[in-house]
Amino acid sequence: MHFVDAKGILTGSGGYYGMNVYRGCTHGCIYCDSRSRCYQFTHPFEDIEVKRNAPELLEKALKSKRKKCMIGTGAMSDPYMHCEENLRLTRRCLEIILEKGFGAAIQTKSDRILRDIDLLSEINRSAKCVVQMTLTTYDDDLCRILEPNVCNTKRRIEVLEEMRKKGIPTIVWLTPILPFINDTEDNITAILNECVRVGVKGIIDFGMGLTLREGDREYYYAALDKYFPGMKERYIKRYGNAYELPSPKAKELMGVFQSICKDNGILRAPDECFRFMQELPDKYPQMSIFDL
């Protein structure tokens, strides 16, 4: 971990802005796209870059915004990594978002977000808050391989349930689905049934597959060699160096996904989910226990 003084904190324009308090990640997910060389990391990925002046930058940036909007975090680096336990920079940024009357959309895989559920509830009452969780496999043993340094899927589902109890809407990222590894109907159905049970607002999937780029591909293939001997060769034979690697079962799995979401009134088109996360209406209708 190392500290820097960042020049800016918000990216985007108009009605939605994103921020990353940290750069890099310690979760160790074998498929992480953020490792890709196109993001131009100049330090080891696990050596977390901490933007120590992020709260000050955020406060200054929000003061200059004429219209309230949603502030997103977690797209590139999880805001609730191990270092957040002591640094609490994400929490301070949430306090500023609350103080300034903005909304928040947070993406994570960590149950550390529960430490800030009080703030998230207040933001959701005064503006709008959306919590996003990534779920890839219902199998705990497989989860420990794919996402070794973060809480398992069962615990993440408990987090979603706690958010529901507070009236905070949730979005699930059902991605990536790894060909020949977690691309089974049993896995997809188990995750979706839990999403239904805990009342998620929407589920994002981009076609039941995986994307690999330079940097990410090498790390992923090394993990395949370690945990799934012979799997790398199977990938190379089928996909070569393709960027998009759809599951051979993509059509069937998408059918299951579409059916369960439709039957239970869950948003399932990525554009719909992003619109919900990124829009802050002038009058946001708060959820109640009767909506869940």
Side-chain angles (χ1 to χ4, degrees), residues 163-180:
M163 296 299 163
R164 178 185 63 81
K165 291 176 183 176
K166 294 289 188 179
I168 300 170
T170 55
I171 298 285
V172 162
W173 290 72
L174 184 61
T175 181
I177 301 302
L178 312 178
F180 317 120

Side-chain angles (χ1 to χ4, degrees), residues 114-255:
L114 290 175
R115 297 179 3 149
D116 292 341
I117 198 169
D118 57 334
L119 271 176
L120 303 179
S121 297
E122 290 186 55
I123 293 171
N124 196 48
R125 283 193 293 268
S126 63
K128 178 181 176 182
C129 181
V130 182
V131 170
Q132 308 155 64
M133 272 279 170
T134 299
L135 307 179
T136 60
T137 177
Y138 197 69
D139 184 299
D140 284 348
D141 292 332
L142 182 57
C143 188
R144 279 189 285 271
I145 294 172
L146 303 185
E147 302 150 346
N149 303 324
V150 69
C151 64
N152 64 22
T153 300
K154 307 295 192 306
R155 179 57 175 158
R156 292 178 222 171
I157 291 169
E158 290 176 359
V159 171
L160 292 171
E161 190 165 23
E162 290 303 309
M163 296 299 163
R164 178 185 63 81
K165 291 176 183 176
K166 294 289 188 179
I168 300 170
T170 55
I171 298 285
V172 162
W173 290 72
L174 184 61
T175 181
I177 301 302
L178 312 178
F180 317 120
I181 295 176
N182 66 339
D183 60 340
T184 68
E185 185 171 336
D186 285 347
N187 179 52
I188 300 301
T189 301
I191 293 174
L192 291 173
N193 286 342
E194 286 294 86
C195 289
V196 171
R197 183 180 67 82
V198 299
V200 304
K201 177 73 176 180
I203 304 174
I204 296 173
D205 178 85
F206 296 107
M208 299 292 170
L210 167 71
T211 59
L212 291 178
R213 294 190 254 211
E214 188 179 3
D216 173 23
R217 179 181 287 106
E218 291 82 353
Y219 190 85
Y220 181 65
Y221 279 173
L224 293 187
D225 281 340
K226 181 177 181 180
Y227 297 109
F228 307 96
M231 186 67 76
K232 178 178 74 175
E233 290 71 25
R234 192 175 180 185
Y235 269 64
I236 293 171
K237 182 177 180 180
R238 183 176 183 94
Y239 301 108
N241 285 321
Y243 169 63
E244 295 184 355
L245 288 67
S247 164
K249 305 174 185 175
K251 184 176 180 180
E252 295 84 352
L253 297 179
M254 282 303 293

Side-chain angles (χ1 to χ4, degrees), residues 5-199:
D5 288 317
K7 294 181 179 179
I9 192 66
L10 294 184
T11 59
S13 61
Y16 180 82
Y17 293 88
M19 69 174 181
N20 285 291
V21 176
Y22 305 111
R23 200 157 183 261
C25 192
T26 54
H27 288 344
C29 303
I30 71 171
Y31 51 73
C32 182
D33 177 71
S34 293
R35 292 180 180 275
S36 301
R37 288 181 188 164
C38 64
Y39 299 118
Q40 301 178 333
F41 273 80
T42 57
H43 57 86
F45 191 69
E46 288 79 9
D47 177 17
I48 306 303
E49 181 179 282
V50 179
K51 299 175 184 178
R52 58 187 163 199
N53 60 335
E56 292 79 11
L57 289 173
L58 179 63
E59 186 166 21
K60 182 178 179 180
L62 295 188
K63 280 182 180 178
S64 69
K65 304 298 177 194
R66 293 184 178 181
K67 184 176 171 130
K68 309 299 183 187
C69 63
M70 296 292 287
I71 307 297
T73 189
M76 278 291 294
S77 296
D78 198 307
Y80 287 102
M81 291 180 289
H82 301 80
C83 55
E84 172 64 15
E85 288 188 8
N86 295 319
L87 297 178
R88 300 171 74 84
L89 289 175
T90 296
R91 182 175 178 86
R92 179 59 190 134
C93 287
L94 289 174
E95 290 173 340
I96 293 167
I97 288 171
L98 175 63
E99 290 167 7
K100 303 300 180 185
F102 285 73
I106 305 168
Q107 184 176 351
T108 185
K109 292 176 184 168
S110 175
D111 58 351
R112 292 185 188 90
I113 193 172
L114 290 175
R115 297 179 3 149
D116 292 341
I117 198 169
D118 57 334
L119 271 176
L120 303 179
S121 297
E122 290 186 55
I123 293 171
N124 196 48
R125 283 193 293 268
S126 63
K128 178 181 176 182
C129 181
V130 182
V131 170
Q132 308 155 64
M133 272 279 170
T134 299
L135 307 179
T136 60
T137 177
Y138 197 69
D139 184 299
D140 284 348
D141 292 332
L142 182 57
C143 188
R144 279 189 285 271
I145 294 172
L146 303 185
E147 302 150 346
N149 303 324
V150 69
C151 64
N152 64 22
T153 300
K154 307 295 192 306
R155 179 57 175 158
R156 292 178 222 171
I157 291 169
E158 290 176 359
V159 171
L160 292 171
E161 190 165 23
E162 290 303 309
M163 296 299 163
R164 178 185 63 81
K165 291 176 183 176
K166 294 289 188 179
I168 300 170
T170 55
I171 298 285
V172 162
W173 290 72
L174 184 61
T175 181
I177 301 302
L178 312 178
F180 317 120
I181 295 176
N182 66 339
D183 60 340
T184 68
E185 185 171 336
D186 285 347
N187 179 52
I188 300 301
T189 301
I191 293 174
L192 291 173
N193 286 342
E194 286 294 86
C195 289
V196 171
R197 183 180 67 82
V198 299

